[in-house]
Amino acid sequence: MIMQTLTDPRSILPRLLFQPVAVDDSGKEIDPAIERAGRRWPSLHPALEVAAELARADSIYEAPAEARELALARLPAEQRFHAISPTPSGLACSCNDWPPTTNAGPGDGRYCADILAYLLALYLQRPLSPLPFTAEELWQTALEELRLQMTRAAFNQWLLGSFAIPEASTPLSLTVAVRNQYAQEWLAHRLHPLIARALRTVAGYEVSVHFITS
Ligand SMILES: [Zn+2]
């Protein structure tokens, strides 16, 4: 239990990053915290600026409780989310900036703006935002994307009328009901790469999906 607390990056990294010198709790504001971290790790400076923007906009979202991911980040102007997940030595992110080409900062030194923003939110003790869409909304948006990529006949045959089952789905893992077993097998085997790519485009992170007959 103690080992787990000591090695959980969420318990030590926020302090190491944003409070490298002893300061009292009145220092728990975004700008001074970013400034302290930037002074100590100058190469993190650009990512820290973006992290401050994410924190100011409350753009760190809570991942579903049962997910492997810890949080999702999204700049207000962007559609896509980046998923932050634990690794054996720190945190990983689904964005293109991770892993960084050079390591800097405490722990394993692999930080992007999203991870820094998540750790900043923990440091500032700001509540994470609830995800702004449901699993069903995510599936419906992906369907619109797939409609553009498939012939009308194929779309109608395999996907028309499909829906995510709310009680068996989260925005990270969908259970989708389709019309019959033939469609279920075709989607799972032939169309899975296309569907996985559409979901990733819409969500910005890997969404697992499996199909059942309705
Ligand atoms: Zn990232």
Side-chain angles (χ1 to χ4, degrees):
M1 197 63 192
I2 291 168
M3 277 307 288
Q4 198 173 18
T5 311
L6 287 174
T7 54
D8 187 343
R10 288 172 290 179
S11 64
I12 51 167
L13 289 178
R15 219 161 13 86
L16 290 175
L17 265 164
F18 298 109
Q19 196 175 308
V21 290
V23 291
D24 61 45
D25 277 345
S26 62
K28 285 204 171 182
E29 293 164 32
I30 293 176
D31 291 330
I34 290 290
E35 204 190 306
R36 286 194 298 274
R39 263 205 309 273
R40 183 151 177 196
W41 293 286
S43 59
L44 287 183
H45 198 267
L48 283 164
E49 290 291 319
V50 179
E53 196 185 332
L54 284 160
R56 276 189 210 100
D58 287 318
S59 290
I60 308 298
Y61 298 84
E62 204 150 15
E66 67 275 27
R68 183 181 172 276
E69 280 69 19
L70 300 170
L72 301 158
R74 183 185 67 169
L75 280 171
E78 285 184 8
Q79 292 291 315
R80 291 158 55 91
F81 284 83
H82 302 148
I84 298 155
S85 51
T87 69
S89 60
L91 299 172
C93 184
S94 66
C95 76
N96 293 332
D97 295 331
W98 197 92
T101 47
T102 52
N103 293 9
D108 68 2
R110 285 141 65 96
Y111 299 98
C112 63
D114 308 296
I115 292 174
L116 290 170
Y118 171 60
L119 294 171
L120 181 60
L122 294 183
Y123 174 67
L124 299 170
Q125 296 174 343
R126 287 167 89 103
L128 304 188
S129 305
L131 270 178
F133 54 77
T134 63
E136 176 60 5
E137 286 163 349
L138 177 61
W139 177 245
Q140 291 304 326
T141 310
L143 276 183
E144 292 311 309
E145 181 80 17
L146 288 161
R147 193 192 287 275
L148 303 173
Q149 296 174 16
M150 298 168 67
T151 65
R152 182 199 288 252
F155 182 87
N156 288 352
Q157 184 171 8
W158 307 121
L159 287 169
L160 192 69
S162 63
F163 58 94
I165 298 172
E167 50 275 24
S169 299
T170 73
L172 290 149
S173 173
L174 300 177
T175 299
V176 172
V178 298
R179 58 176 61 181
N180 54 42
Q181 197 183 347
Y182 194 34
Q184 178 195 7
E185 282 170 14
W186 193 267
L187 289 165
H189 297 119
R190 300 296 190 93
L191 291 181
H192 190 266
L194 185 74
I195 290 165
R197 199 163 57 235
L199 281 165
R200 195 180 205 294
T201 300
V202 168
Y205 52 84
E206 298 298 334
V207 181
S208 68
V209 57
H210 75 275
F211 300 98
I212 62 167
T213 51
S214 53

